[in-house]
Structures are given as structure tokens and as C-alpha cells.
Amino acid sequence: MRVAVEEDIWHGGDLATARALFPEAPQPWIDLSTGINPIPYPLPALPLSLWTRLPGADDEAALAAAARAAYRVPDHAAIVAAPGTQILIELLPRLAPAGPVAVLGPTYAEHGHAWRKAGFAVEEAAAVPEAAATVVVVNPNNPDGRVMPREDLKRLARRSAARGGLVVVDEAFADFTPDLSIVPELPEATIVLRSFGKSYGLAGLRLGFAIAAPEQAAKLTAALGPWSVAGPALHVGALALADRRWLAAAGEARAGDAARLDALIAPHGRIIGGTGLFRLVETPAAPALFARLGRHGIYVRRFRDAPRRLRFGLPGDARAWARLGAALAADAA
Amino acid sequence: MRVAVEEDIWHGGDLATARALFPEAPQPWIDLSTGINPIPYPLPALPLSLWTRLPGADDEAALAAAARAAYRVPDHAAIVAAPGTQILIELLPRLAPAGPVAVLGPTYAEHGHAWRKAGFAVEEAAAVPEAAATVVVVNPNNPDGRVMPREDLKRLARRSAARGGLVVVDEAFADFTPDLSIVPELPEATIVLRSFGKSYGLAGLRLGFAIAAPEQAAKLTAALGPWSVAGPALHVGALALADRRWLAAAGEARAGDAARLDALIAPHGRIIGGTGLFRLVETPAAPALFARLGRHGIYVRRFRDAPRRLRFGLPGDARAWARLGAALAADAA
């Protein structure tokens, strides 16, 4: 049911493609192709009423309160919950004035795609063009972990505000590095996206947020309509976002995992960036390494436009670490 | 976070309002204010991977196949799954040409609201105006159960197609009366909405569908973006929609409940319509009856624009039936 134009985008997590590419690979697949925490937030008991009733205003308010506190949303800003950040990405073009859009890239392809679908001219560049009024920055960036300092973001926001434009800051991978977030001082003309599923390891739940000035937030809320977030997601999200201890421990544990991953893959390529949930590797042997791992039932993320790069997510258990280690140590044959 | 214009719409299921109106009411509240089956489809075991991974293409395909079969989608039509029908209602105005929109009413208020938000002139009328190119029909209608025969819908569709317009048929309450559905012969220029949560009693899950010509469906799919339906909803929906026996038994059981409800409320007003999930009652004493039930902790649906009408959902267990019976039998004092 996907339209043709969307099928051009490669995403992580698509094990059906892995199986088709490597039908002989040992089972089960180890999926390192996403940036999702492999150790999820423990699912709480879910009262049946979360499933049976329409999502309640009380539950929506509890989630919003937990998210405001977790992301340190200032009083002058509003927060909108949605069934995943992706639908917010699709809606953002409605909030911007006509004119070209600059996407700081290379980055998560769905940003440029959404603006193009909405009829905008999109320029993806490694630096923000001087003339840009509307700018998209993934911060830290996926896949290379590049960070734009808060002062630079504020300067961008001032410029966009003066031009009637918009700065979109996608902080999908900022949970473990909260000091990078622009949310606490949300500048004018700025909309921040936060993704729940990645650091909490619950991507199937579908929960994301936009933090914006109240007028912009109201437009997103109106576009989503009522009850957009499912009852279970409201409940799990509210509990998890209030659990600072879990997040801090997860961030520390994943940083340890990332260091362990670095040591494993360093002999095979140059680690050129990443976040606490993934590492980006560059090597001329990337296609061969992708294929070797695939034959061992390990799926990593390759990039159509950057064939020398691979992104590695974190193994989730001892068996996955062992299989990754063995596959990397195996003969290249 | 709702915008002001949305707060004008009264919805069923809002127990916070019930509590505010009747703070002294006995607990727990019996919520008869919705048209949701009070006996839900039994939740299956949900593998953890449905929560942790991004919704998979395999799971999406399995849901689409089950929905195609359940709704008898013809080969020439496509089906789009969404996190609830509501978001599809919000997106429909993108598929229609400019010009006034006729909503056959009175009906579910979110239809007219969505078109108005999108800048369309909306005329809600008891008959479809001759000149209308784009028409919204809820069939069977909520709250009065009015049914537009398939031949009339096809005539409407021919007229709209000739004018470049669109016919939206919201079949949210058609699951128990499948012979009413226009889906199996989907006419040109017609989009049908199907809601999962109501007859399966799982409104918190958020799952709905649009059935349309492939070009229109592709626009909805593109607007939603990938992974719009949560992993658990994909899984539960696919199982439940394939379970014809459960649906048939539920339809029969709810028809029995509706007859029992009719007998209970007949002494208090004229039953002017309904479906297998709710009944609409008219009486000059509706405000007093609403208040009496509220004082007994029973919340029914009232209508701002029709103060003589109340809609009753079905009680879900013996205790709820007993409390409703007692409240109706009590002195009006």
C-alpha cells in the first residue's frame, strides 16, 4: 500500500529485505540496522480499559505532563503527542511558508521526502545555505552523530524568524545527551521533534512529540484530530518518561555497549560518528562487509548514496555480541 | 492541547465531564455514552517484538489482507490502514476538489468539522442538495441509524464522479450489517471508511481503514507516512478481522442486548433509531432523564443541537444492566 515514491527510501528494521538478500543466513536474524535501544523499557501491566475505551482526556493530560517534565518544555511552549514522530514529519510542511527548504544532510531521508511530497523545493546540503528561511536539522544527526551547538541553532532560529520561516530540530537521538537539547529555551520559529520509541526501545508503540509555540502546536493538534495516540501508548509513555532513573541507567549502559562495539568494528573500518544507539563506519570494503555480515544473519544499515558507509546498531544480548564478534572475525571469504 | 474550535464538539466516552457534572454519583461510572461494543474481542498474547520493533512490512501486509477479506474489498480498490478512522477523516479534505461539501446530517460532528478546518464550506442537511459534488454519508448513520440504500449511494457516486467530486461513506457502524456495505462494489469517486474499534470493542487500540481507488489510497498512504499503525494494532487487527465466527456471534449477542435495552427504555421515550451498538431516544424529558441517570452514575450521550434526544450504548454486564434498570425505575426526583 506504500506509494512508489516512498519505496525508494531505505530504512533500517526491514528484515524482509534481509531475508530476501541472504536466504541462506542462519536464524534468527540479528537486526543491527536500526538505532533502537535493544533493551526496552519494561512494559508495565496494561489495564484492559486502555484498549477498550477511547483514549481518555485524563490519560492524554498525564502523558503531556510527563513529557513536558522529561523534555524540560518551557512555559512559553506547547507539546503535541502523536502516534510516532513520522506523522509529525508529514505534517510539518503545513506550518511553513512557501519557498525552498534546506535540510542539513546527509540525514534521515523522510524529512526531505515529506517536504518534497508537499510541493516544496528541498536542498540537502552539508551547510545551511545563507538564503534559507526554512531549515531542518537532525540533532544529533542520524547517521553520523554530528551535533549543531545550541548557539548555532539559536542563530539559525533568529534568522528564520526574521524571514518568516521555520527551524525544525529533530532530536530523535537526544534522550541520552539532554544537554544538547534546544527545548528548554525553545527559540521563536522553532519546532522540536522528540521520538519516544528509540531510546526506550519501544518503536512499535508509536509515540512521538512536537514542541512548538502554542499557535503552531494548535495547528498540529487540529491536523491530527482527537484520540491520535493509542491508550496503551499514553500509559506506557507517561510511566516511562517519568522514570528518570531508568533513562540514566540505560544511557550509561548503552554508552558502554557503544564503546564495546567500537572496539569490535575498529579493525574493519573507520568509525566516523554515531550516538549512544548506533555507530557509523566508513570503509571501501563496506559492501563486502555488509554481505559477510548478512551471510552470518546479521543485518546492518547500508546507504544507497554512501556505499562506503555502514551503520551498526547495538547488539542486545550475549548471543548477539558473540555472533557479531564471530562474523567480524571470520574470513572475508 | 486541543484547539478551541475542537472543544465545541461533544463526544461520548468523556467520563471526566460526567464526573464534573455529577460529582456525587455512585462509583464506578457506567459509560453508555459511546457506541463501542462493551464486550471486546479477547486480546491475544502480544509478542514483545510487536512493541519493540518498528511495525514490519509483513505485519502490515497481513493486516491489509485480513481487512480486504473481512470488508470484501474488490480487486479494483485499495485499502489503507491508519491509527484510527479519525486521522483519515482529517485527511479526506486533501482528496476533494474545492467547492462546497454536503454532509448528510445530523451526524457524527467530526466530519463537518474536518472539512471546515480545511477551508471548505460545509452544508449539513437531511437530504443531499442537488448541486453537491462532494458528499459525506455516515451509513448506517450515527446517532439515528438511518440507512442509505446501496442504489442511492451508487446514484450519488455517479453524480459526484461526473462533477469531479467525491462521496465519502463512513461505515463505522456497518460491521454487524455487512449487507449494507458499498465496499464490495466500490463505485468510482467513492471512499469508504471502516472503523475497527467499535464493533470489536477496542477503541483504545486505534485502528481504522479507508477503501478507495488506488490513486486516492496512495495519497492517503503518502500523507500518513510509514509505520502509522502500531505493532500491537497490526497484530490484534489481523487476528480479529479474520475471526468471522466471533463477529457473527457478537452481532447476534448485541442485537439481543439492543432489544433488551429497547424494552427498558421504551417507557421513557420514543426509540427513533439506532444500530446494533446504540439506540437513539426522543423525549421532551431528555434533559431530566440525562440528569437522573447521571445522578445514578450512568452516563448517556446528549446532543447540544437536539436537547430532546439521548443516545444509549449497551450495558456490558449484569451489574450494569441492573443499575440501568434501577435508575430508570427510580422516581424522577
Side-chain angles (χ1 to χ4, degrees), chain B residues 24-306:
Chain B
E24 312 288 331
Q27 303 292 320
W29 275 91
I30 296 174
D31 185 8
L32 305 183
S33 71
T34 76
I36 299 166
N37 186 346
I39 318 286
Y41 186 80
L43 273 184
L46 295 170
L48 184 61
S49 63
L50 295 170
W51 302 92
T52 57
R53 293 181 56 81
L54 277 169
D58 298 6
D59 290 335
E60 291 176 346
L63 175 70
R68 284 194 84 98
Y71 300 138
R72 294 170 296 149
V73 177
D75 287 347
H76 70 272
I79 186 163
V80 180
T85 309
Q86 181 66 39
I87 185 79
L88 293 166
I89 291 175
E90 307 288 349
L91 293 173
L92 287 178
R94 300 200 197 182
L95 305 189
V101 174
V103 176
L104 200 61
T107 190
Y108 183 59
E110 292 287 347
H111 282 291
H113 184 57
W115 291 90
R116 267 181 233 108
K117 278 193 290 189
F120 286 79
V122 174
E123 182 183 355
E124 190 166 308
V128 178
E130 258 314 305
T134 294
V135 182
V136 179
V137 181
V138 181
N139 200 45
N141 191 43
N142 171 12
D144 63 8
R146 182 209 61 231
V147 168
M148 180 176 284
R150 279 207 310 275
E151 290 311 314
D152 292 3
L153 277 174
K154 285 156 74 176
R155 200 157 32 238
L156 262 189
R158 276 194 298 276
R159 207 174 70 181
S160 285
R163 294 169 179 175
L166 192 68
V167 175
V168 175
V169 185
D170 181 348
E171 295 188 351
F173 289 101
D175 285 1
F176 292 152
T177 50
D179 289 350
L180 299 179
S181 176
I182 195 73
V183 171
E185 47 189 332
L186 189 79
E188 57 178 335
T190 301
I191 297 182
V192 180
L193 301 177
R194 300 289 297 228
S195 172
F196 176 79
K198 293 179 177 70
S199 35
Y200 292 87
L202 294 170
L205 183 75
R206 308 314 293 140
L207 182 61
F209 300 90
I211 294 140
E215 319 80 69
Q216 297 283 53
K219 287 179 205 164
L220 290 172
T221 302
L224 289 166
W227 316 297
S228 75
V229 177
L234 294 173
H235 187 73
V236 174
L239 287 175
L241 287 168
D243 191 344
R244 304 305 154 77
R245 194 174 302 187
W246 184 91
L247 186 70
E252 231 174 283
R254 295 300 82 72
D257 289 343
R260 181 175 173 189
L261 181 64
D262 286 352
L264 263 186
I265 55 183
H268 303 277
R270 193 164 61 94
I271 293 155
I272 58 171
T275 71
L277 288 172
F278 58 79
R279 303 315 243 189
L280 187 65
V281 181
E282 191 164 80
T283 164
L289 185 56
F290 175 82
R292 195 208 313 183
L293 291 167
R295 287 192 301 271
H296 283 81
I298 297 169
Y299 191 45
V300 297
R301 176 78 161 82
R302 58 189 172 150
F303 299 91
R304 195 194 301 267
D305 297 330

Side-chain angles (χ1 to χ4, degrees), chain A residues 1 79 94 117 206 222 227, chain B residues 79 94 117 206 222 227:
Chain A
M1 290 295 88
I79 186 163
R94 300 200 197 183
K117 279 192 291 189
R206 310 312 294 137
W227 315 298
Chain B
I79 186 163
R94 300 200 197 182
K117 278 193 290 189
R206 308 314 293 140
W227 316 297

Side-chain angles (χ1 to χ4, degrees), chain A residues 158-170:
Chain A
R158 275 194 299 274
R159 206 174 69 179
S160 285
R163 294 167 180 177
L166 191 68
V167 175
V168 175
V169 185
D170 182 348

